[in-house]
Amino acid sequence: MKLNYGIIGTGMMGCEHIRNLKKIPDVKIVAIADPDERSRKWAEDTCGDAFKLKLYEDYRELLTQEDIDVVVVASPNFTHIEIMRELFKTDKHVLLEKPMCTNLLDAMEVLEKSKEHKGVVWVGLEYRFMSPIQSLINHVNEIGNIKMLSIREHRFPFLEKVDNWNRFNEKTGGTLVEKCCHFFDLMNLMIPSKPIKIYASGDQDVNHLDERYDGKTPDIIDNSFVLIDYEDGERAMLDLCMFAEAGKYEQEIVLTGDRGKLETHIPGNELLLTNRKEYSHRTIEIKEDSRVKEVGFHHGASYIEHLELIECIKKGNQPLVDCQNGFDSIVLGLAAQESIKAGESIKLNDFLKI
Ligand SMILES: NC(=O)c1ccc[n+]([C@@H]2O[C@H](COP(=O)([O-])OP(=O)(O)OC[C@H]3O[C@@H](n4cnc5c(N)ncnc54)[C@H](O)[C@@H]3O)[C@@H](O)[C@H]2O)c1
């Protein structure tokens, strides 16, 4: 079965999806939609001779094209809700880029509608498919009961985007939603119980302060510590700094159990396993996923994401990353943003009562 794809939003991420899909047999990109002429040209150039594309300015026209089986939504975060409302009127399969939405009400609406949707709705939280993460998950049984998870991301500032949409909380949901939903998803994936309480401290101290867009200064935070308590006593911590480029690793992840500890890095090809009883540690080589044909900006994870989505569609399986995962990841991001504003911890049960 050949699947026909339509891509909505062909900026940086839309074009990364195109590069991935070009390398997958039995896939055809038949249309793209983007209001920006330059982005439509990027899509055409990225496709090259591989596909004959229909180009639309308005995504609603793309959605009326009957031969499209799968739609990739890679437009700015604040546009996801209106595009999903239209997509839910069709029965097309969807890969919706993270973060699912920029606020709680919209995320609840997408989650509810996804349960009735005929096609697969998959959320683009592809960090799960990175080799260091897969390797860590494969060895999780060797550290006993999980107690603590620490994720550090020290990286470069946000890149420039089409129309600079990523400079404002209103359009992104805030840094802890836009960027960090990936890490909250990993926490929810690795920690067996549910998050119950969150405290965050953060600010915009360095980045984008001298930029102006329509007279407005960007308001997105660039550093934060976030602490999360889980129901069975596990704890997670995020240490984010976005004025810390040029380090050896972008992400460092430590998962600690009562018998030992797992540590890894992204990018990285080593997993360190510590055994308390034996008072020893050993290094495990991380094997790259041999299926990866396009490494892209996400260490091959977006390519694996597409392979898994295609298998899910073809076999009629449940998505590996669904709207519940998308929702849970941004709830933590939104609650962390709220905690920074309020200067106090947030109980997630209360936060969800709106
Ligand atoms: N999964 C990941 O790791 C990852 C990485 C980067 C970006 N993203 C997500 O992908 C999405 C796009 O980010 P980006 O970095 O490509 O941004 P970008 O600014 O480079 O591209 C966005 C494109 O969407 C277009 N657009 C705006 N409104 C639109 C609409 N109504 N319909 C169709 N197109 C529209 C813009 O003109 C632009 O070409 C965001 O949701 C972002 O969070 C995900």
Side-chain angles (χ1 to χ4, degrees):
M1 176 174 73
K2 202 167 185 106
L3 291 172
N4 287 339
Y5 277 68
I7 318 279
I8 296 179
T10 55
M12 190 219 89
M13 199 59 209
C15 287
E16 169 146 347
H17 285 302
I18 293 173
R19 283 189 291 277
N20 281 304
L21 290 166
K22 271 173 84 170
K23 301 251 173 90
I24 300 177
D26 287 342
V27 156
K28 209 162 112 186
I29 304 177
V30 294
I32 63 105
D34 198 302
D36 187 288
E37 193 182 350
R38 203 175 40 150
S39 301
R40 292 196 298 276
K41 178 83 171 68
W42 286 340
E44 278 190 294
D45 291 347
T46 309
C47 276
D49 297 331
F51 309 111
K52 199 169 165 335
L53 290 177
K54 281 199 178 144
L55 306 180
Y56 299 103
E57 285 181 40
D58 188 330
Y59 72 89
R60 283 167 294 199
E61 288 178 48
L62 179 147
L63 294 182
T64 62
Q65 196 176 313
E66 281 190 1
D67 65 342
I68 294 178
D69 306 297
V70 189
V71 176
V72 177
V73 180
S75 54
N77 305 353
F78 69 98
T79 65
H80 292 179
I81 181 66
E82 60 162 64
I83 294 172
M84 289 307 293
R85 281 186 184 132
E86 295 302 317
L87 253 161
F88 284 132
K89 294 177 188 165
T90 74
D91 56 6
K92 296 183 191 304
H93 305 292
V94 191
L95 167 56
L96 169 60
E97 261 308 340
K98 58 64 23 188
M100 208 163 92
C101 299
T102 56
N103 65 63
L104 202 50
L105 273 179
D106 290 350
M108 284 172 167
E109 182 181 334
V110 170
L111 176 60
E112 281 318 304
K113 287 185 173 161
S114 74
K115 292 175 187 164
E116 306 297 321
H117 190 65
K118 275 206 188 124
V120 170
V121 188
W122 183 295
V123 180
L125 291 160
E126 82 288 348
Y127 274 53
R128 290 165 171 240
F129 303 118
M130 287 181 185
S131 302
I133 301 296
Q134 285 295 314
S135 176
L136 200 146
I137 290 169
N138 288 341
H139 289 274
V140 85
N141 290 338
E142 296 173 56
I143 59 167
N145 298 312
I146 291 169
K147 296 294 176 190
M148 299 172 78
L149 171 58
S150 154
I151 300 182
R152 169 190 284 181
E153 178 172 69
H154 282 195
R155 56 161 270 182
F156 49 90
F158 278 120
L159 299 172
E160 278 181 26
K161 297 286 163 185
V162 177
D163 293 333
N164 306 299
W165 63 269
N166 67 345
R167 293 300 195 256
F168 295 95
N169 288 319
E170 198 191 348
K171 292 190 168 175
T172 59
T175 301
L176 295 175
V177 175
E178 150 60 15
K179 168 84 250 156
C180 302
C181 58
H182 279 305
F183 307 125
F184 297 134
D185 179 56
L186 296 182
M187 291 173 184
N188 290 337
L189 179 70
M190 290 183 213
I191 297 183
S193 71
K194 283 192 165 137
I196 52 171
K197 196 167 85 175
I198 189 158
Y199 174 72
S201 166
D203 211 336
Q204 181 188 8
D205 288 321
V206 177
N207 296 346
H208 318 303
L209 291 166
D210 54 358
E211 299 173 14
R212 300 287 178 275
Y213 303 99
D214 297 328
K216 288 193 209 142
T217 309
D219 61 3
I220 39 167
I221 65 165
D222 54 25
N223 71 100
S224 179
F225 287 119
V226 183
L227 290 176
I228 305 168
D229 286 342
Y230 280 73
E231 203 166 35
D232 290 346
E234 307 95 330
R235 276 174 249 294
M237 183 183 78
L238 174 69
D239 163 359
L240 173 76
C241 181
M242 298 190 68
F243 42 89
E245 53 270 68
K248 190 168 177 188
Y249 309 111
E250 237 170 69
Q251 289 96 16
E252 295 167 64
I253 298 163
V254 186
L255 184 64
T256 310
D258 52 6
R259 286 200 280 120
K261 185 167 87 167
L262 289 163
E263 285 173 78
T264 193
H265 308 107
I266 301 170
N269 51 13
E270 283 183 351
L271 182 72
L272 192 70
L273 170 61
T274 308
N275 183 312
R276 291 181 66 210
K277 198 169 172 195
E278 293 170 5
Y279 206 83
S280 66
H281 65 259
R282 69 183 166 101
T283 303
I284 299 162
E285 190 197 342
I286 295 173
K287 297 240 170 25
E288 287 300 327
D289 191 319
S290 58
R291 294 175 295 169
V292 173
K293 302 275 186 297
E294 172 69 28
V295 174
F297 298 131
H298 298 93
H299 312 291
S302 299
Y303 186 85
I304 298 297
E305 170 180 68
H306 279 293
L307 292 187
E308 296 288 0
L309 168 60
I310 290 165
E311 186 172 325
C312 160
I313 292 170
K314 289 191 172 173
K315 294 195 172 156
N317 294 341
Q318 290 302 308
L320 294 181
V321 196
D322 63 13
C323 285
Q324 187 66 55
N325 302 129
F327 181 82
D328 293 344
S329 69
I330 65 168
V331 164
L332 291 180
L334 289 165
Q337 295 277 153
E338 181 58 29
S339 171
I340 292 173
K341 237 195 278 166
E344 55 191 38
S345 63
I346 304 283
K347 289 197 174 118
L348 292 170
N349 266 346
D350 296 341
F351 187 70
L352 287 169
K353 279 184 210 145
I354 58 167

